[in-house]
Amino acid sequence: MPMHTQSWESVGPSLDECIKCNICTSYCPVAEVTDKFHGPKYSGPQAQRFRENGQPQSPDHSVDYCSGCRVCNEVCPTGVRIAEINARARAQAAAEHGIPLRNRLLGRSDMLGKLGMIAPGLANWGMRQGFARSIAEGVLGISKHAQMPTWSREGTFASWLKRSAPNRLRSERKVVYYHGCSTMYYEPYVGKAAMAVFEHNGFEVVVPEQGCCGLPLLNNAEFPAAEKYHHHNLEWLTPYARQGYQIVGTSTSCTLTLKEEAPDMLDIHTPEARDLALAVWDIFEWLRELHAQGQMKTDFQPIDMVLPYHPPCQYRAHHIGSPVMDILPLIPGLDVRESHARCCGGAGTYVYKKEKYQIAMDVGQELFTWVDEQRPVTMTACTSETCRWHIESATKLPCRHPIEVLAAAYGLYDLEKRKLTKE
Amino acid sequence: MKRIETEILVVGGGATGTGIAWDAALRGFKVTLIEKRDLTHGTTGRYHGLLHSGGRYVVKDPVSATECIHENRILRKTHAHCIENTSGFFAVTPEDEGPYPDKFLEGCRATGVDCAEISVADALRREPLLNPRISRVFEVPDGTADSFLATHATVQAARHAGAQILTYHELMGLIIEGGDGNRRVVGAKVRDVAKGMDVEIRAQMVINATGAWAGMVTQMAGVAISVVPGKGVMVAMNHRALNTVVNRCKMPADGDIIVPVHTVAIIGTTDERVTDPENLRIEPWEVNLMLEEGDKLVPNLSKARVVRAWAGVRPLYQEDYAGASRDATRKFALLDHKERHGIDGFITITGGKWTTFRLMAEKTVDLAASHLGARKPCITATTAVPGADQGNYWLGHRLHEIEEQKLQGQLICECELVTRAMLENAAKQNPLLTLDDLRRDVRLGMGPCQGGFCTYRAVGIIHEMGKAGVWEGDAGHQTHAAEEWDVAYIQSPARNVNGSGSVGDRPQQQGGSVGDRPQQQGGSVGDRPQQQGGSVGDRPQQQGDRPQQQGDRPQQRAGQTPPLFNPNLLLRDFLQERWKGVAPILWGRQLKQERLDELIYLNVMNADHLPDDQLASAMTDFYLFDTTPNEHEVHP
Amino acid sequence: MSDLFVIGAGLSGLMAAYTAARAGLRVQVVTKGLGSMHWAAGTVDVMGYTPEELSRPVQRPLEAIQALAHSHPEHPYVLLGSHQVQVALEEFTALMAELGLPYGGAGGFGALAHSTSGDNLLLPSAVGALRPAFLAPSAQLAGDMARPEPLLIVGFTGLRDFYPELIAENLAKQGFQARAAFLPLSLLTEQADRNNVHLAQALDLQARRLKLGGELKRLARAGERIGLPALLGLDDHAAALADLSAAAGAPIFEIPTLPPSVPGMRLYKALRARLWRMGVRIDVGLEGIGANVIAANGTAGRVQWVETATTTSRPLKHRAKAYLLATGGILGGGFDSDHTGRIWETVFDLPLTIPQARHQWFRPAFMDPAGHPVFNGGVAVNAAMQPVGADGQVLYANLWAAGGALAGADPIQQHSLEGLAIATGWAAGQAIVRALAQ
């Protein structure tokens, strides 16, 4: 599958926007801390003029160190799709040189999720054992320092949905919930908090058949598999989109993938892909819209706390401003402070890679230092799960999804124990 | 006055002239070549880069077609590193349907041009941006060529064989002896433009290989020939939309070809008779036509970023010909002036196309040898030039070498991936007067920013090299010993890593490139006395007290030599030269780019308020020729 | 709904945001990407050359503005009057002093407030030309060529964006005593030359700059001042400058070079931090793509909302009481154009004074002293910075404009980029505050 320009809608031709101004490289958090990555301008629009189908070999090595944070896209004054150009270059190199086993594993978060759920206690225990982690590092290249997510001890989100089916709100107003792999296998409580918020606001939640968005596969350059995943989601979800449902997700990376990253990186510009993208919302984007229409309930209980909140780079890549900051400050007593750090460094599966772990930690230092400056605090918040795990590991503070905070403000959720109050 | 004695004097440093010098030197002749400016200043440096399969001529001019395919196969081997094996399509668009495609197929068979019809689906798979409404596609062995590199490589081969190549040496007049019916050209009066010196060259045979300028040269012998400059405008798109040459399958006309060369796609071309082969206007209607025609092959190509426009002139010779210049034959014309005009020792070669330069050279040297006495036979068809061992060019090669050798920190022209060592070696090894010469060598400034960043860096580096004495006071114009002048790897980042792409190691090379000198002990580079060229600033000046108003430069014209490598002049000249090629296509994204380049040079650098603003080089006026758009949106 | 919605986070947009926020307005700034501060020299150029006299630098820019009134009544400075320009500049210098990135002029710091006869500084550029600038950050002030000390220009071997010998030679040609020297790049970084910003960050480390200072001390002769490329620290710049000057034992100054501009980035980050502390939202990555307006019909129209692009082409609507267009003209992306010669403003489609024909845009010489007409036109405004039509009537009652988008000046040619941005941004902010108070 050729990775280069297939149409004028492909991201490759956006290199024409580049005026070589160097703003992207100046703000790239990875280029700042390592010289293994020569900056988004070099790897992106500049190198793209030297790439084409059918060359004797893919010339790219350094592009592998791009973390995909998309800060470059954000600061670019002309609209070059730098991060996507890099991702496609990486996929081209992978298609020629092969993908290491480690990256194939890390790319399959749904498979890893299912595997761990066979015996979650054991899996969690194993992930904490130094010897096991050292072997994983030596054999596969998975960093022994990176904090692994914890498989749920209360079953999957799907199993909870089944168990709690009789309690679900029925309503004329419906919304589709896209939960993503992390909610399913690692953090079903985030899904529960989201459901509580939807229902409190009078919406019946439909959770249709859905699959992994494929972002880890995209980030690990395994495009053919990612394309299959996206086609499945198109099959399952586009009908809902076309019936007028809003498809709302709590994982900001997943919703970004469905909206833009899958179509753009895979060069899928079909009417189905467009219709689905138009129906996808990040949950706080959706809540903000609801609030703007005067329909969001604001019967909050006070939460007296300083809450450092980090908007992940992928959240900003939605180009929706900062909806969390439009909603959370409505909660009385809550002093939400927004981080302006560029990237926590985790960058999805990036931090799990031995050769990239230290880069991830160095990139995140900007955020970790800022969190320190907000202390004393009891927890932080962030809308992306992999970021949460990385931030927890670096700051030693619990990190919550803002939807959990909102559910707690509605009195429906225990923020410490991460349980619904009525459970 | 300097005097040179030689057997064959070749006038013209394009593909043909340098090919002649190479061929003649290999055959054992003593050869001197003069070119009034830099190599490829003429048509060779201004065309669209096509290595013809001959497909274009199979119906209209079958003899040319056969010549092309024959030479195409030769050049792929002799000049391998200058050629990219892109292949070529002849595509039938909705506008082109008719009897021509079948005639085309038949013509290919008849002329020996390899041709295979491929399915439109296949063509679209290989080139997804092609017009999906194309009905038929034929594949032929078109390729693309870097004519700058090819000429350099040919020249190096010539020098290895003993030829003397003199750039920036302008023919001022022919030296003719004898009277009526008995005249003989015995040499030429030449001006070394860089040094401002006269040179006299004595030769047994003068070969006029000046292409579109051929008529002006023959005039110096009192002979009038009809060489019509046929101007063609070309437009370069910022990135390759295609990786295959794509031609319209129809009788050749304007704008019917898109050629991917290096990092750009070139849409060409027009055909207008002009009188002056040197200063060429680029009209808005010509640019618009290229974009409209380009859209027929690649829909929406005109919405992509246009990065540059330029014009070249075809030398069109036909005896007593008065028709449209396009329809004049593209066969070359070899004129023996002894036979035709009773002037001995004088041959003119003109017409032709780049693809057949070697053949033109062979025929020309054959003719010269018939007069001077044959030496060895011609071997250019089977002799590879230096650098051909690198194999055919492929688009990613510079990126690949830079990635492998981790040379990212060395990039001077980031758009085109030119490293500092490449720049320095080219500057050391190739005579140059302006940065445009360096541009032809290594592609400096040829990318989207059109010199926005690299102009400053290149000026600084050249200046540093000058201060370090790299040219030993001769500022780039000494003729190096042949074995020191190695341009074979001039475009390869990996081969220039140690600061030496050349065969011999010079003392300055120790410790790396010139810019990487070990720390001076205590003293500094500036300790040496203010160098030549400081004359303007020697007197203390009041702020705002300028010796000359800008725009007023009476003294530094022909007859005087400006200090070579004055950095301020290099800077101004190159910025103006880049401007000349963007002014006709400045809108949208390129207009924004140019405004950033203005911010850099006019505001941050304040480079329009530098000393020495009254200096001019031999190229300054050429660069100032007005190419800004006029009102002619449509063909008047 | 905010009080003021600013499109563009360049110097004019941020200055307007600051002015409005200080008066208590709720301000939101959106920007497609980051602005031209990141490419410019980091000085405040008020007027370097006048349209009449493009070869000789202006000596007293505020006076030169007064002289413009007759010949260029449409120039934004003339619309504002030199007094307002001066007040705006004073606001800026006060703000920058507060932010720990002080700017000063030819008379040292604070001289501006008391005099309209402030002289331009003449600062050496990265090619050794003399740039007129009215205010400069303290790191550049010691480069003022009106000072008598001889200059030592120090570069780093292999640093691609700085050539000390060229600078020294050109300064010498202009009658100044200048010489050049090199230090190894390893004093800044163990890696190859990267990006100016990364090199500047290397000097945020005290150990490094003390070492560098020591080397400078070794190189310098008594009485010399030392010019370095502009990379003396990014986030710890004030300390970097102090450490280096102390360790070198000589006055130190920076010379701005090719983009990215470290001085410009410091300025941006300082302003941004201040605005954040004031509660101003700055959303980067939100591109203004259109607006919904009620057209003028005898009286001025009104902007109802501005749309910004999102990933799904489900645009975001932004409503505010007042809107400010600060999108930077051609350079900032606020104007787009095509091959037919059409040139248009990309958010509100405001009329432009630029001819809609390419043959009227350019002159043959790149460095033509009169500049290129295409860069001189833009959005015409009245003295209150509100866009007006050909008849001089305000187009939209709740719309203002500032900065590079404005008609009547070529700020790059005239070296008035930051002066115009600050003055028009401040003036627009003031006008908006007044309008909303009613």
Side-chain angles (χ1 to χ4, degrees), chain C residues 332-344:
Chain C
F335 301 164
D336 198 357
S337 54
D338 66 25
H339 73 289
T340 66
R342 197 167 75 91
I343 184 163
W344 64 93

Side-chain angles (χ1 to χ4, degrees), chain A residues 2 4-8 12-22 38 41-43 46-53 55-63 77-78, chain B residues 84 128-129 238-241 243 263-264 298-301 304-305 394-396 398-400 402-404 408 411 414-417 446-449 453 589 592-593 596:
Chain A
H4 301 294
T5 302
Q6 298 299 301
S7 75
W8 292 108
S14 75
L15 78 86
D16 271 353
E17 305 298 325
C18 180
I19 54 174
K20 317 311 297 287
C21 74
N22 282 301
H38 300 283
K41 180 189 79 162
Y42 166 83
S43 296
Q46 189 168 286
Q48 187 64 18
R49 294 175 73 240
F50 292 85
R51 297 178 181 133
E52 63 173 26
N53 296 323
Q55 299 223 69
Q57 54 195 296
S58 168
D60 300 290
H61 302 293
S62 59
V63 74
T78 61
Chain B
E84 182 177 354
L129 295 179
N238 180 45
H239 71 277
R240 287 193 175 196
N243 297 298
T263 47
V264 300
V298 176
N300 291 312
L301 182 61
R305 177 169 169 176
W394 58 285
L395 176 62
R398 285 198 196 191
L399 183 64
H400 173 69
I402 284 166
E403 288 277 295
E404 293 283 293
Q408 293 89 345
L411 289 172
E414 295 173 84
C415 296
E416 292 291 320
L417 301 184
M446 291 180 81
C449 82
F453 288 76
R589 288 159 287 200
K592 189 191 304 185
Q593 177 74 68
L596 175 61

Side-chain angles (χ1 to χ4, degrees), chain A residues 370-391:
Chain A
W370 175 80
V371 169
D372 279 343
E373 287 164 5
Q374 311 312 309
R375 290 182 204 256
V377 293
T378 49
M379 63 177 65
T380 62
C382 183
T383 24
S384 164
E385 61 276 13
T386 51
C387 301
R388 280 197 293 279
W389 305 328
H390 182 61
I391 295 171

Side-chain angles (χ1 to χ4, degrees), chain C residues 11-13 76 324-329 385 401-407 411 417 420-422 424-425:
Chain C
L11 188 53
S12 67
L324 174 68
L325 180 75
T327 49
M385 300 290 111
L406 298 186
L417 197 58
L420 272 172
I422 290 168
T424 58

Side-chain angles (χ1 to χ4, degrees), chain B residues 284 287-288 291 408-412 414 420 452-453 456-457 459-461 463-464 467 515-517 519-528 530-531 533-534 536-541 543-546 549-550 566-568 571-572 575-576 579 583-589 591-592 594-612 624 626 628-631 633, chain C residues 36 39-41 45 49 53-57 59 120 122 125-132 146 152 157-170 172-176 178-184 192-193 215 218-219 221 256-260 330-333 336-340 343 358-367 369 372 374-375 410-413 415-418:
Chain B
V287 170
N288 293 344
L291 295 174
Q408 293 89 345
Q410 285 271 317
L411 289 172
I412 298 302
E414 295 173 84
R420 184 167 184 152
F453 288 76
Y456 171 63
R457 294 176 180 148
V459 168
I461 290 168
H463 182 254
E464 267 180 26
K467 294 286 252 186
D516 187 17
R517 75 178 67 86
Q519 189 190 328
Q520 310 281 343
Q521 271 306 0
S524 67
V525 172
D527 274 351
R528 72 175 73 96
Q530 289 307 314
Q531 67 125 329
V536 170
D538 275 353
R539 52 186 134 72
Q541 283 184 329
Q543 168 182 319
D545 167 18
R546 310 193 64 80
Q549 289 302 315
Q550 275 199 324
N566 178 295
N568 304 334
L571 180 75
R572 271 207 316 281
L575 289 175
Q576 179 60 32
W579 173 256
I585 50 88
L586 227 43
W587 62 79
R589 288 159 287 200
L591 182 60
K592 189 191 304 185
E594 206 57 31
R595 189 59 168 162
L596 175 61
D597 295 352
E598 265 206 344
L599 176 66
I600 293 169
Y601 290 101
L602 301 187
N603 188 308
V604 177
M605 302 273 168
N606 206 16
D608 53 338
H609 293 93
L610 276 170
D612 309 329
L624 280 167
D626 182 9
T628 60
N630 57 26
E631 301 86 356
E633 299 279 331
Chain C
S36 61
W39 311 322
D45 298 351
Y49 299 91
E53 180 51 82
L54 286 146
S55 56
R56 206 178 288 268
Q59 200 162 353
N120 261 333
L122 278 178
S125 80
V127 285
L130 301 189
R131 293 184 80 239
L152 169 63
T157 53
L159 179 65
R160 297 168 289 179
D161 287 352
F162 195 73
Y163 297 94
E165 288 164 293
L166 178 62
I167 296 170
E169 182 176 288
N170 274 326
K173 284 185 183 176
Q174 293 167 87
F176 299 99
R179 66 186 183 100
F182 282 92
L183 288 174
D193 179 15
E215 294 296 312
R218 218 178 30 78
L219 281 178
R221 296 181 188 145
T257 177
L258 293 173
I330 289 168
L331 184 61
D336 198 357
S337 54
D338 66 25
H339 73 289
T340 66
I343 184 163
R358 283 198 295 128
H359 70 265
Q360 295 180 36
W361 288 1
F362 308 111
R363 299 200 161 91
F366 174 65
M367 288 186 179
H372 302 284
V374 68
F375 299 130
D410 181 339
I412 287 176
Q413 188 80 19
H415 293 250
S416 57
L417 197 58
E418 295 84 4

Side-chain angles (χ1 to χ4, degrees), chain A residues 17-44:
Chain A
E17 305 298 325
C18 180
I19 54 174
K20 317 311 297 287
C21 74
N22 282 301
I23 281 180
C24 57
T25 305
S26 304
Y27 282 85
C28 170
V30 174
E32 185 178 311
V33 303
T34 178
D35 69 344
K36 292 205 165 75
F37 183 59
H38 300 283
K41 180 189 79 162
Y42 166 83
S43 296

Side-chain angles (χ1 to χ4, degrees), chain A residues 30-279:
Chain A
V30 174
E32 185 178 311
V33 303
T34 178
D35 69 344
K36 292 205 165 75
F37 183 59
H38 300 283
K41 180 189 79 162
Y42 166 83
S43 296
Q46 189 168 286
Q48 187 64 18
R49 294 175 73 240
F50 292 85
R51 297 178 181 133
E52 63 173 26
N53 296 323
Q55 299 223 69
Q57 54 195 296
S58 168
D60 300 290
H61 302 293
S62 59
V63 74
D64 189 48
Y65 281 86
C66 168
S67 69
C69 73
R70 296 167 176 77
V71 171
C72 48
N73 287 1
E74 188 182 353
V75 299
C76 173
T78 61
V80 185
R81 303 299 304 282
I82 308 164
E84 290 79 5
I85 290 173
N86 284 344
R88 282 171 68 77
R90 198 184 313 124
Q92 174 68 32
E96 287 174 27
H97 302 136
I99 300 174
L101 176 62
R102 170 193 74 186
N103 293 4
R104 289 186 191 276
L105 284 173
L106 290 174
R108 287 172 169 72
S109 53
D110 55 340
M111 183 191 79
L112 290 172
K114 284 195 186 102
L115 273 175
M117 287 309 284
I118 294 172
L122 184 62
N124 291 336
W125 177 84
M127 284 298 150
R128 288 193 296 272
Q129 300 318 303
F131 75 92
R133 293 298 298 270
S134 294
I135 291 172
E137 182 169 302
V139 172
L140 291 171
I142 296 179
S143 168
K144 64 186 178 206
H145 303 293
Q147 169 154 321
M148 288 296 173
T150 316
W151 279 274
S152 165
R153 300 306 309 273
E154 290 143 17
T156 63
F157 181 64
S159 68
W160 174 80
L161 272 178
K162 230 176 174 177
R163 287 199 304 274
S164 63
N167 304 339
R168 296 271 68 80
L169 179 73
R170 308 272 172 244
S171 164
E172 289 290 300
R173 301 158 87 208
K174 302 186 209 293
V175 73
V176 167
Y177 178 43
Y178 183 83
H179 52 75
C181 301
S182 71
T183 303
M184 178 65 118
Y185 302 111
Y186 305 113
E187 301 181 322
Y189 36 81
V190 171
K192 296 178 194 178
M195 301 283 285
V197 169
F198 284 132
E199 292 183 345
H200 186 71
N201 280 285
F203 282 81
E204 175 179 338
V205 186
V206 176
V207 186
E209 189 168 9
Q210 54 192 262
C212 173
C213 68
L215 183 62
L217 287 166
L218 289 170
N219 283 341
N220 282 286
E222 203 177 336
F223 277 25
E227 197 173 0
K228 288 206 188 84
Y229 279 46
H230 192 59
H231 279 301
H232 285 316
N233 278 322
L234 286 175
E235 223 180 278
W236 289 318
L237 297 172
T238 308
Y240 286 92
R242 287 177 167 165
Q243 285 170 55
Y245 282 86
Q246 289 157 330
I247 297 170
V248 184
T250 41
S251 166
T252 201
S253 313
C254 296
T255 47
L256 181 67
T257 304
L258 293 175
K259 274 188 188 181
E260 183 180 79
E261 293 311 295
D264 280 346
M265 294 217 270
L266 300 168
D267 226 0
I268 298 174
H269 302 286
T270 57
E272 288 76 26
R274 267 192 282 273
D275 287 345
L276 176 60
L278 268 170

